[in-house]
Amino acid sequence: MPIALQAEGLTKEFKGFIAVNNVNLSIEKGTIHALIGPNGAGKTTCFNLLTKFLQPTRGKITYEGRDITKLKPAEIARMGMVRSFQISAVFPDLTVLQNVRVALQRARGDSYDFWRSDKVLSKFDAQALDYIDEVGLSALAHERAASLPYGRKRALEIATTLALSPDMLLLDEPMAGMGREDVELISRLIQRIAENRTVLMVEHNLSVVADLSDRITVLARGEILAEGTYAEISKAPEVIEAYIGASHD
C-alpha cells in the first residue's frame, strides 16, 4: 500500500541521553497504526518528533513523499496531517457548535474573529454540524463544552480536529483517563473516522490496540522491538517480556 508517513533513522538525543534511536517507521495510507511500549520506551518522544513538536537530532521524516523534517507543526497541519493531545483541548465556555466553528474559521485565511457576530459566523454552521454529526454529538450541539462528560469532550476535540480537513490524524493516548463506556464510544468513533483517513495513535490500552489497529509498532528503550499485527506481536517473547508481561506484573 502507499505510504502516508515515513521515518528513516529517526534519532533524538537530550544532553547525551538517546530517547529515540534510529527508528525506521512506515505508516500505510488508510490504516490505523498504533505505537505502543512500556513507560520510558520513547513513544511520546517519537510521536512528538513525527508531529514536529520536537526536532530530531538525526533522521528524516516524509509525509506524502515530501520531506517535512524541518517543518513546523502548523505547516504540516496545512498539508493535512493533524494531531490531538492527551489532555482535551476545547473552549469550555463555548458550545459544541462554537468550538467546531472556531476550527473552521481557519478556512477564511484570517484571524479567528471572536469579536464578529454570530450572524456573520453562522455561515460555518452547516459544515460544523456535519463534523459534529460525524462524531455523534448532534444532540449536544448547543451545550457548553464544560458540561459534557469526559468522553464527549474527547469526541468534541476530534470534531475540531476533523474541521481542519486532515488526511491523517495522529492521536496521543485518545483513551487516557476514560471509563469503559467512554473507551467504547471513542473506539467506535476512531473506527468510523478512519474509514477514509490514516490514523497513527499512541495508546496504552491493549484491548483497544487489539481491536482497532491494522498494524502495531512496539518501542522499548527508544528502539523498535517488534512490528506487525496484534496477533503477531502478542506472541513475540521479547514483547511479552518488555511490555505485555510487565503490564500484568
Side-chain angles (χ1 to χ4, degrees), residues 133-154:
D133 181 63
E134 190 171 359
V135 300
L137 293 178
S138 293
L140 301 171
H142 300 288
E143 297 291 326
R144 288 174 63 247
S147 70
L148 299 179
Y150 183 68
R152 268 64 177 181
K153 285 180 182 175
R154 295 311 299 259

Side-chain angles (χ1 to χ4, degrees), residues 18-48:
I18 302 177
V20 173
N21 186 25
N22 197 34
V23 165
N24 297 305
L25 185 66
S26 295
I27 313 300
E28 295 180 347
K29 285 187 179 180
T31 64
I32 300 176
H33 196 122
L35 191 62
I36 69 172
N39 290 333
K43 56 189 181 296
T44 298
T45 301
C46 186
F47 189 83
N48 285 333

Side-chain angles (χ1 to χ4, degrees), residues 135-224:
V135 300
L137 293 178
S138 293
L140 301 171
H142 300 288
E143 297 291 326
R144 288 174 63 247
S147 70
L148 299 179
Y150 183 68
R152 268 64 177 181
K153 285 180 182 175
R154 295 311 299 259
L156 173 56
E157 182 189 355
I158 291 174
T160 62
T161 303
L162 294 178
L164 299 175
S165 301
D167 296 311
M168 181 171 185
L169 280 85
L170 299 101
L171 307 177
D172 190 6
E173 298 194 25
M175 312 299 175
M178 289 187 184
R180 182 174 179 178
E181 181 180 344
D182 285 337
V183 166
E184 292 175 355
L185 168 75
I186 300 302
S187 292
R188 291 194 300 270
L189 173 55
I190 291 171
Q191 282 182 313
R192 193 158 63 244
I193 65 177
E195 289 176 0
N196 58 352
R197 299 177 182 92
T198 305
V199 175
L200 172 65
M201 64 178 183
V202 172
E203 181 53 55
H204 280 295
N205 189 320
L206 287 181
S207 63
V208 168
V209 169
D211 291 341
L212 287 182
S213 304
D214 299 299
R215 195 161 185 83
I216 300 165
T217 298
V218 185
L219 289 178
R221 297 176 296 278
E223 299 180 353
I224 293 180

